[in-house]
C-alpha cells in the first residue's frame, strides 16, 4: 500500500440540522454544570493515585525472593499501567486529560513505556487515520489487512480464516507485542501512511524512539534479570512473567475495543473521486456503536471506551462526560432519523463472533 493517501471528504447534506442541534445541546449541558471538557480534579487525582500504586507494585519485584510475590507484583504493575492507558492515555492523545498539550504528551510517553509502545505513532494512527476514516479500506489503519484476520469484506481470504472466530483471542493476546515490534518499526522506517504526517523524523526523534524502546527493555526485563535474579527469582520465571503480563494486558484492551467497529457495522471503499456519498455523522453512526457493561457502573473502568460512538462524535471531550453526551445523542438521533445503537456487552461479543464467522466464510 502506498504511504501517500489522498484526503477523503464527506458530503454534509441533511446533516447540518443535526450538527447544530448537537452542538447547542452539548453547549447547554456544559454551561448548566459550569464545567469544561477536560479531566476533573477528581480524575487527575485518580490517575496520580494509580501511578503511585503501580510503582508500589513494581518495587517488590526487585526486592523479593518469593516467586509468588514477584509474579503478583509484576502482573499487577502491568495491569495498572494498562488501566492507566485506558483511563488516561486515550484522553491524553486527544488532549483532553490535561489542558496543556505538552503535559498530555509527557504522560503518554510515561505510561506507554512499560508496554513498549511508541505513543506518538499510536496517537497519529488513532487520531488522524482511525477517527477520520473509520472502517474505510486502506484509510483506517486499525483495520488494515494483516493476513491473519479478514477484518473487512474487501480483504483477501485464506483457508485458515474459517477458524478466525476461534483463534482470534490467541492472536489478540499478542497485539501489544505486534504493535511494538511491527507497527512501531514500520512507522519509524517510513513504510506506512504515517510517513505523510512526518512524525518523529529528526535525529533527536530517532533518539527518543530508540531511547524509549531501550528503557522499556531495561525496566521490564533488564532490572528484573539483574536485581530480581540476584534475589533468587528464576530467569525463566522472569521471561515468562513478562510475556504473560503483555498478553493479559493485550486481551484487556482488545476486549474493550474490537467489537465496537465490528458489531453490525458498515465497511466502505474510498470512491475514485475521494468524496464519500454520505455525511460524516451518518458515517460514524453506521461504523460504531455504544455499549453498556453490567452492572452499568463498570463503565468507569473502560475509560469511556464503551461509549465508542459518543467518543467518535466528541473526541475533544474527556470521557467523564460521555454518559450525558450519549443521552443527548440518543435523543437527537431519534429526532433526526440517524441510526444510534447502544447494546449490551453480551450483544457486543455475540456480534463480534458473528462478524468473524461471516468474514471467515469463503467469498462468493
Amino acid at each position: 500500500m502506498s504511504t501517500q493517501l489522498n484526503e477523503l471528504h464527506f458530503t454534509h447534506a441533511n446533516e447540518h440540522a443535526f450538527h447544530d442541534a448537537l452542538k447547542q445541546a452539548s453547549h447547554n449541558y456544559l454551561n448548566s454544570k459550569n464545567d469544561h471538557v477536560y479531566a476533573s480534579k477528581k480524575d487527575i487525582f485518580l490517575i496520580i493515585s494509580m501511578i503511585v500504586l503501580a510503582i508500589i507494585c513494581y518495587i517488590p519485584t526487585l526486592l523479593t525472593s518469593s516467586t509468588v510475590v514477584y509474579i503478583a507484583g509484576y502482573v499487577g504493575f502491568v495491569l495498572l499501567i494498562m488501566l492507566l492507558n485506558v483511563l488516561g492515555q486515550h484522553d491524553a492523545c486527544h488532549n483532553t486529560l490535561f489542558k496543556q498539550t505538552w503535559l498530555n504528551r509527557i504522560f503518554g510517553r510515561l505510561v506507554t513505556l512499560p508496554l513498549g509502545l511508541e505513543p506518538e505513532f499510536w496517537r497519529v494512527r488513532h487520531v488522524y487515520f482511525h477517527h477520520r476514516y473509520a472502517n474505510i479500506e486502506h484509510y483506517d489503519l486499525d483495520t488494515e489487512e494483516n493476513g491473519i484476520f479478514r477484518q473487512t469484506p474487501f480483504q483477501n481470504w485464506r483457508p485458515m480464516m474459517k477458524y478466525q472466530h476461534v483463534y482470534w483471542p490467541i492472536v489478540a493476546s499478542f497485539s501489544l507485542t505486534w504493535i511494538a515490534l511491527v507497527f512501531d518499526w514500520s512507522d519509524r522506517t517510513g513504510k506506512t501512511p504515517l510517513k505523510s504526517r512526518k512524525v518523529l523524523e529528526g535525529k533527536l526523534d530517532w533518539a527518543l524512539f530508540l531511547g524509549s524502546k531501550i528503557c522499556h527493555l531495561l525496566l521490564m526485563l533488564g532490572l528484573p534479570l539483574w536485581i530480581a535474579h540476584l534475589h533468587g527469582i528464576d530467569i525463566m520465571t522472569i521471561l515468562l512473567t513478562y510475556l504473560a503480563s503483555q498478553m493479559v494486558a493485550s486481551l484487556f484492551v482488545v476486549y474493550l475495543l474490537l467489537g465496537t467497529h465490528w458489531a453490525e457495522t458498515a465497511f466502505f471503499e474510498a470512491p475514485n473521486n475521494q468524496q464519500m456519498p454520505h455525511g460524516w455523522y451518518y458515517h460514524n453512526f453506521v461504523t460504531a456503536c455504544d455499549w453498556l457493561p453490567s452492572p452499568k457502573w463498570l463503565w468507569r473502568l473502560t475509560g469511556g471506551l464503551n461509549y465508542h460512538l459518543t467518543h467518535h462524535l466528541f473526541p475533544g471531550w474527556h470521557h467523564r462526560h460521555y454518559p450525558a453526551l450519549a443521552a443527548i445523542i440518543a435523543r437527537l438521533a431519534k429526532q433526526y432519523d440517524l441510526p444510534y445503537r447502544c447494546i449490551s456487552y453480551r450483544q457486543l461479543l455475540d456480534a463480534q463472533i458473528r462478524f468473524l464467522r461471516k468474514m471467515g466464510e469463503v467469498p462468493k
Side-chain angles (χ1 to χ4, degrees):
M1 183 178 68
S2 170
T3 58
Q4 298 292 329
L5 293 177
N6 295 323
E7 188 82 8
L8 276 179
H9 301 279
F10 296 84
T11 60
H12 296 284
N14 302 321
E15 291 203 348
H16 289 296
F18 176 77
H19 169 77
D20 291 342
L22 187 62
K23 183 178 179 180
Q24 186 62 54
S26 58
H27 180 73
N28 291 343
Y29 155 74
L30 207 60
N31 280 348
S32 69
K33 295 171 63 71
N34 192 27
D35 206 347
H36 53 73
V37 299
Y38 303 100
S40 67
K41 292 181 180 179
K42 181 179 177 180
D43 293 302
I44 299 299
F45 176 77
L46 175 63
I47 291 293
I48 294 173
S49 299
M50 289 179 62
I51 291 174
V52 172
L53 185 59
I55 294 172
I56 291 173
C57 285
Y58 180 80
I59 291 175
T61 65
L62 303 180
L63 303 176
T64 186
S65 58
S66 167
T67 300
V68 173
V69 172
Y70 175 83
I71 294 174
Y74 194 100
V75 173
F77 171 70
V78 173
L79 288 180
L80 281 167
I81 290 296
M82 189 70 253
L83 192 55
L84 276 166
N85 276 269
V86 170
L87 296 180
Q89 163 59 358
H90 186 219
D91 287 302
C93 83
H94 287 284
N95 292 321
T96 63
L97 183 61
F98 302 104
K99 295 181 180 180
Q100 300 85 356
T101 298
W102 64 270
L103 200 52
N104 286 305
R105 296 294 176 272
I106 290 176
F107 174 83
R109 188 156 296 279
L110 288 176
V111 298
T112 54
L113 190 147
L115 303 177
L117 309 180
E118 171 48 57
E120 195 61 16
F121 289 151
W122 188 88
R123 182 183 69 83
V124 174
R125 278 176 167 267
H126 181 70
V127 174
Y128 292 98
F129 290 93
H130 172 64
H131 266 266
R132 289 187 180 184
Y133 310 120
N135 286 19
I136 300 178
E137 193 73 7
H138 302 311
Y139 283 78
D140 182 356
L141 300 186
D142 282 2
T143 57
E144 60 184 334
E145 190 163 3
N146 56 38
I148 301 173
F149 289 131
R150 185 167 180 254
Q151 300 187 80
T152 78
F154 314 113
Q155 294 177 355
N156 294 318
W157 179 87
R158 297 182 181 184
M160 69 176 183
M161 293 174 180
K162 290 186 293 185
Y163 309 102
Q164 66 179 13
H165 65 283
V166 177
Y167 66 68
W168 80 268
I170 299 173
V171 176
S173 68
F174 290 97
S175 58
L176 289 179
T177 303
W178 184 264
I179 293 172
L181 296 180
V182 178
F183 284 2
D184 280 356
W185 286 96
S186 296
D187 293 338
R188 175 68 279 178
T189 53
K191 296 179 180 178
T192 71
L194 266 69
K195 184 177 181 179
S196 64
R197 304 293 310 182
K198 301 185 183 301
V199 186
L200 297 182
E201 285 194 328
K203 292 181 179 179
L204 289 177
D205 293 326
W206 256 108
L208 181 62
F209 174 79
L210 292 175
S212 294
K213 294 294 185 183
I214 292 170
C215 286
H216 165 75
L217 292 175
L218 287 174
L219 178 69
M220 305 307 293
L221 281 174
L223 288 178
L225 286 171
W226 175 36
I227 301 176
H229 181 56
L230 289 178
H231 286 86
I233 304 300
D234 183 69
I235 291 178
M236 188 58 65
T237 297
I238 293 172
L239 295 177
L240 290 178
T241 302
Y242 171 80
L243 178 61
S245 65
Q246 295 288 314
M247 292 174 68
V248 171
S250 295
L251 284 174
F252 174 65
V253 71
V254 165
Y255 267 90
L256 291 179
L257 278 176
L258 275 188
T260 50
H261 289 287
W262 287 357
E264 315 297 343
T265 58
F267 294 85
F268 302 91
E269 288 185 297
N272 291 331
N273 65 359
Q274 308 302 310
Q275 184 73 49
M276 297 299 290
H278 53 257
W280 182 82
Y281 283 107
Y282 177 82
H283 184 87
N284 280 285
F285 274 99
V286 299
T287 57
C289 66
D290 287 345
W291 59 269
L292 292 177
S294 182
K296 187 176 178 180
W297 62 264
L298 284 175
W299 80 269
R300 295 188 177 277
L301 298 179
T302 74
L305 294 179
N306 63 298
Y307 290 104
H308 207 72
L309 169 62
T310 299
H311 168 62
H312 271 256
L313 298 188
F314 288 92
W317 291 54
H318 186 265
H319 73 264
R320 67 189 174 93
H321 294 296
Y322 289 172
L325 292 174
I328 293 172
I329 292 169
R331 174 172 58 82
L332 293 178
K334 186 176 182 179
Q335 182 179 342
Y336 290 92
D337 198 27
L338 284 165
Y340 174 74
R341 290 183 303 133
C342 184
I343 61 179
S344 70
Y345 186 61
R346 180 72 260 175
Q347 290 173 312
L348 180 78
L349 289 180
D350 290 345
Q352 178 169 307
I353 296 301
R354 287 196 301 271
F355 172 79
L356 288 171
R357 283 181 181 273
K358 182 178 180 181
M359 290 298 100
E361 294 174 356
V362 181
K364 296 179 182 180

